[in-house]
Amino acid sequence: MSDSSINTSEVDIVIAAINSDLTPFLNEWRPIFSPFHLIIVKDPDMDGELHVPEGFNVDVFTKSDINQMVGSSHSILFSGYSCRYFGYLVSRKKYIISIDDDCVPAKDNNGHIVDVVAQHIANLKAPATPFFFNTLYDPYRKGADFVRGYPFSLRSGVTCALSCGLWLNLADYDAPTQALKPEQRNSRYVDAVMTVPVRSLMPVSGINIAFDREVVGPALFPALRLSAEGKIRWETVEDIWSGMCVKVICDHLGIGVKTGIPYVWRRERGDAIESLKKEWEGVKLMEEVVPFFQSVRLPRSAVTAEDCVVDMAKAVKEQLGKVDPMFVRAGDAMADWVKLWKSVGSSTPGV
Ligand SMILES: O=c1ccn([C@@H]2O[C@H](COP(=O)(O)OP(=O)(O)O[C@H]3O[C@@H](CO)[C@H](O)[C@H]3O)[C@@H](O)[C@H]2O)c(=O)[nH]1
Ligand SMILES: [Mn+2]
């Protein structure tokens, strides 16, 4: 059963749906998800009715909702993998949790079902420690603390804005790794969560994620579309791109990002070789953009996530735009996204 101490009015669970029948998925998650409001975004390119089982507090958003809100925008498309971001936009809650619809609850080393909502919210409510690494992992967890030598001046920590969960069975590997290790399965449940140090980038996976929408909501946006994009091709990097944006923004705002528990059990669909064809361009491209994200610095005047996205967009256009016109489009999309985020009443207070 879910953790009754969580204030359900603070949480939205956002699901992107390419499957027409979410019954098996939601029945697996019923004990954990049923107390919470669900936002299900039906992939606008998916035909047919979406079936959701009884017993959930759910709002389903479809192509017509997206078109009504986004209008004829050419820079912002909520198709394919990126349709979940529409759910991030329309939510009005403080915390958002998003789980892919091919994942089910995992079990910990004691065979207990992992409550992803409770653990993600615990991660987000406990401070983060990006400025000095605690070698005993999360010092705020029961049974842990700061180790000797950790500066007392830093022990109050900072706000945690993003909680990146992990995966048993099929870890989120890229297509080359999947093709090289088709039999590899992740059976190692590591009971740990830690803050990613400041100025360290990381691959943020959209499969099992939670964030403080009021603090970093607009920083999570799939702006990058490859020049020769297909509906799928460009989206294999959408969370990697937005993950680097949000980590740089969190570093700038002095807030934290955590990785570790909770785990989900991930079942994969699709073929590694097919994925390789789709993903290879994105895999190569990431090598080009990492130095940009490692070096970009935002102005002190940027004190909210919206400010940071606007300034980041300018830097993307100025510094990456000469590499490829797709980055000019990405920068424009980021700027349009902030306008859209503000216009739907989602403006975030300063940190
Ligand atoms: O056209 C689409 C494709 C997918 N979805 C929904 O998005 C998530 C993830 O889809 P899927 O499990 O098929 O793909 P993964 O590769 O495992 O996803 C992870 O990789 C990233 C992109 O490659 C992505 O950000 C991660 O989630 C599911 O809920 C599908 O229903 C869709 O709506 N439309
Ligand atoms: Mn998947």
Side-chain angles (χ1 to χ4, degrees):
M1 291 307 285
S2 72
D3 179 344
S4 56
S5 67
I6 296 175
N7 177 351
T8 56
S9 66
E10 285 190 317
V11 180
D12 268 341
I13 297 173
V14 175
I15 308 294
I18 193 171
N19 291 316
S20 57
D21 183 6
L22 283 179
T23 304
F25 168 76
L26 287 176
N27 281 340
E28 291 271 5
W29 286 103
R30 190 180 293 274
I32 295 168
F33 284 179
S34 53
F36 299 93
H37 177 239
L38 302 182
I39 291 178
I40 297 175
V41 185
K42 180 174 170 256
D43 179 341
D45 297 335
M46 186 186 87
D47 298 325
E49 280 306 300
L50 180 68
H51 184 72
V52 175
E54 295 296 318
F56 288 93
N57 170 14
V58 59
D59 283 300
V60 177
F61 291 90
T62 64
K63 186 173 188 172
S64 60
D65 301 305
I66 294 171
N67 291 341
Q68 188 182 350
M69 185 166 287
V70 183
S72 56
S73 165
H74 297 293
S75 63
I76 301 174
L77 281 183
F78 290 107
S79 62
Y81 295 91
S82 63
C83 64
R84 80 182 79 208
Y85 294 81
F86 185 77
Y88 299 172
L89 179 69
V90 298
S91 170
R92 287 292 180 275
K93 300 291 177 61
K94 178 168 179 58
Y95 298 118
I96 284 185
I97 293 168
S98 189
I99 305 291
D100 278 7
D101 69 0
D102 59 352
C103 297
V104 296
K107 288 184 179 174
D108 65 19
N109 292 325
N110 300 316
H112 300 142
I113 291 285
V114 173
D115 183 339
V116 291
V117 176
Q119 187 60 52
H120 272 311
I121 298 301
N123 292 349
L124 292 168
K125 283 182 179 277
T129 55
F131 300 110
F132 206 97
F133 187 76
N134 189 53
T135 47
L136 198 56
Y137 311 114
D138 182 351
Y140 304 100
R141 281 189 82 193
K142 191 171 174 225
D145 211 318
F146 292 97
V147 299
R148 179 169 51 85
Y150 199 98
F152 280 85
S153 60
L154 291 174
R155 294 193 182 195
S156 53
V158 298
T159 299
C160 179
L162 181 67
S163 170
C164 302
L166 297 172
W167 333 267
L168 288 177
N169 190 42
L170 286 163
D172 188 6
Y173 293 137
D174 50 45
T177 305
Q178 289 175 44
L180 284 171
K181 300 181 172 182
E183 304 308 316
Q184 179 143 321
R185 297 293 179 271
N186 182 30
S187 58
R188 188 171 43 201
Y189 179 98
V190 178
D191 183 15
V193 60
M194 61 191 84
T195 298
V196 181
V198 66
R199 295 273 176 263
S200 175
L201 291 174
M202 59 188 284
V204 172
S205 166
I207 295 172
N208 168 15
I209 195 169
F211 59 94
D212 183 327
R213 186 181 171 283
E214 291 174 357
V215 175
V216 288
L220 280 149
F221 171 60
L224 186 65
R225 302 176 61 185
L226 304 189
S227 48
E229 89 242 357
K231 179 175 77 70
I232 301 293
R233 279 162 48 94
W234 67 272
E235 292 167 338
T236 57
V237 294
E238 112 280 341
D239 47 357
I240 304 301
W241 171 271
S242 70
M244 286 194 275
C245 287
V246 74
K247 181 59 170 65
V248 167
I249 289 170
C250 285
D251 289 346
H252 172 79
L253 294 175
I255 52 186
V257 174
K258 291 178 184 172
T259 181
I261 56 172
Y263 282 78
V264 295
W265 180 273
R266 181 169 176 248
R267 298 168 180 156
E268 182 55 353
R269 48 181 160 239
D271 171 76
I273 302 302
E274 279 311 305
S275 297
L276 191 55
K277 292 175 192 163
K278 292 184 300 188
E279 282 189 18
W280 186 238
E281 189 182 342
V283 170
K284 287 187 297 180
L285 186 78
M286 284 303 108
E287 298 297 335
E288 297 208 30
V289 301
V290 167
F292 162 77
F293 284 107
Q294 287 172 323
S295 61
V296 69
R297 294 293 180 265
L298 300 172
R300 290 178 62 81
S301 57
V303 294
T304 67
E306 287 106 327
D307 297 342
C308 292
V309 176
V310 169
D311 288 312
M312 175 83 78
K314 288 176 192 157
V316 166
K317 291 179 71 172
E318 286 161 11
Q319 297 177 41
L320 290 175
K322 45 193 169 233
V323 174
D324 189 304
M326 79 177 104
F327 293 114
V328 175
R329 287 197 297 273
D332 289 340
M334 291 165 78
D336 291 346
W337 169 253
V338 170
K339 289 177 193 149
L340 182 63
W341 188 273
K342 285 180 176 176
S343 72
V344 293
S346 299
S347 294
T348 51
V351 172

